[in-house]
């Protein structure tokens, strides 16, 4: 069965500093990995994804994520955090063996960026 | 650009009542997903449809049912509502390609009193 873990409930970082939001996954087939962001009372917005190819993927708003197959991780990163990045971040995975109809989300990590 | 439309945005129901949530996917998206997000919780997958057929089922209670219609819109029917059903219900759509991200609607906030 597929699963996603986000080990940190909350990440605090100062504006201008680099940020990392951690995610590990478990699937039986090849993983399709996604990051979404959720602002208060809003739907989830897609940030970036890894399907195949380069392990480092770049997405919206300056975010990037690195796929590490040996560590089964897909950590979200940004070189310089902005206050406006404060939101709830969800890692998600689809398992190629299930045909991709079910996306499983992690518990979410709340990012606080202080000015 | 067209997005996923959900209606209503807010809904208040009493215990044991019935609620129907609607979702209109992005044009040419043939896959629809429903998620439930309780307060402070991650989205929980309920059910998905591909080409009007149920494609996968998650933690959807037996009191809930859903379907996808010929125009690809979907409805989530919830009966015998319980206080614990109060949550944000998201619909998402995507083309039938597991490598394509899902596009989410703004959600319907259901409050059961």
């Amino acid at each position: 069965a597929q699963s996603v873990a986000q080990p940190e409930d909350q990440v605090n970082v100062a504006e201008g500093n680099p940020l990392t939001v951690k995610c590990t996954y478990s699937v039986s087939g090849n993983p399709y990995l996604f990051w979404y962001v959720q602002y208060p009372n809003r739907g989830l917005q897609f940030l970036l994804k890894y399907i195949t190819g380069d392990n480092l993927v770049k997405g919206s708003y300056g975010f990037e994520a690195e796929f590490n197959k040996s560590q089964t991780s897909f950590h979200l990163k940004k070189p310089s955090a902005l206050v406006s990045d404060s939101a709830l971040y969800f890692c998600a995975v689809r398992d190629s063996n299930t045909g991709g109809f079910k996306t499983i989300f992690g518990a979410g990590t709340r990012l606080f960026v202080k000015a | 650009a067209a997005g996923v439309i959900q209606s209503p945005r807010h809904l208040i129901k009493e215990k044991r009542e019935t609620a129907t949530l609607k979702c209109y996917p992005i044009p040419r998206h043939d896959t629809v997903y429903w998620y439930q997000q309780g307060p402070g919780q991650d989205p929980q997958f309920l059910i998905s449809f591909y080409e009007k057929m149920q494609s996968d089922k998650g933690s959807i209670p037996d009191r809930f049912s859903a379907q996808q219609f010929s125009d690809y819109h979907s409805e989530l029917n919830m009966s015998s509502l319980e206080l614990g059903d109060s949550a944000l219900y998201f619909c998402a759509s995507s083309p039938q390609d597991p490598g394509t991200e899902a596009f989410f609607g703004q959600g319907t906030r259901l409050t059961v009193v």
Side-chain angles (χ1 to χ4, degrees), chain B residues 8-97:
Chain B
R9 291 292 308 278
H10 302 272
L11 189 59
I12 300 175
K13 290 285 186 178
E14 295 186 356
K15 283 193 302 183
R16 293 180 289 278
E17 283 193 316
T18 297
T20 297
L21 310 185
K22 297 184 178 182
C23 170
Y24 297 87
I26 291 173
R28 291 182 294 283
H29 282 193
D30 46 23
T31 305
V32 168
Y33 314 82
W34 284 97
Y35 291 86
Q36 178 192 56
Q37 186 177 26
Q41 298 180 3
D42 56 304
Q44 295 292 318
F45 173 75
L46 293 178
I47 196 167
S48 63
F49 291 88
Y50 167 64
E51 282 292 344
K52 294 153 280 185
M53 299 287 289
Q54 180 182 308
S55 54
D56 206 347
K57 196 171 182 179
S59 52
I60 184 169
D62 292 340
R63 298 177 289 107
F64 294 7
S65 65
Q67 60 183 123
Q68 187 179 31
F69 294 86
S70 58
D71 64 351
Y72 293 98
H73 94 273
S74 179
E75 294 184 3
L76 178 66
N77 297 295
M78 311 159 70
S79 62
S80 303
L81 287 170
E82 302 173 356
L83 296 178
D85 296 329
S86 297
L88 198 50
Y89 290 83
F90 288 110
C91 171
S93 74
S94 73
Q96 204 282 308
D97 174 357

Side-chain angles (χ1 to χ4, degrees), chain A residues 5-57:
Chain A
Q6 293 182 243
E8 303 155 315
D9 291 336
Q10 185 172 308
V11 169
N12 297 309
V13 65
E15 188 174 35
N17 283 0
L19 69 87
T20 299
V21 183
K22 296 179 180 177
C23 170
T24 59
Y25 66 90
S26 174
V27 296
S28 58
N30 290 321
Y32 301 120
L33 295 157
F34 305 83
W35 275 101
Y36 291 85
V37 60
Q38 186 178 31
Y39 297 98
N41 298 313
R42 302 290 298 276
L44 281 71
Q45 297 177 37
F46 168 75
L47 276 180
L48 50 78
K49 65 183 176 183
Y50 171 82
I51 304 302
T52 186
D54 288 341
N55 289 343
L56 184 65
V57 293

Side-chain angles (χ1 to χ4, degrees), chain A:
Chain A
Q2 61 201 84
S3 66
V4 177
Q6 293 182 243
E8 303 155 315
D9 291 336
Q10 185 172 308
V11 169
N12 297 309
V13 65
E15 188 174 35
N17 283 0
L19 69 87
T20 299
V21 183
K22 296 179 180 177
C23 170
T24 59
Y25 66 90
S26 174
V27 296
S28 58
N30 290 321
Y32 301 120
L33 295 157
F34 305 83
W35 275 101
Y36 291 85
V37 60
Q38 186 178 31
Y39 297 98
N41 298 313
R42 302 290 298 276
L44 281 71
Q45 297 177 37
F46 168 75
L47 276 180
L48 50 78
K49 65 183 176 183
Y50 171 82
I51 304 302
T52 186
D54 288 341
N55 289 343
L56 184 65
V57 293
K58 295 186 183 294
S60 307
Y61 312 119
F63 283 94
E64 57 189 31
E66 186 165 13
F67 170 64
N68 187 316
K69 188 173 183 178
S70 63
Q71 297 184 5
T72 60
S73 67
F74 189 57
H75 300 331
L76 181 70
K77 300 181 180 184
K78 187 172 182 179
S80 179
L82 299 173
V83 172
S84 57
D85 292 330
S86 299
L88 192 53
Y89 290 82
F90 290 97
C91 181
V93 66
R94 285 182 184 158
D95 189 339
S96 61
N97 279 359
T98 64
F101 290 115
K102 182 191 295 184
T103 300
I104 299 300
F105 288 84
T109 298
R110 190 165 295 281
L111 173 66
F112 285 103
V113 181
K114 285 179 58 177

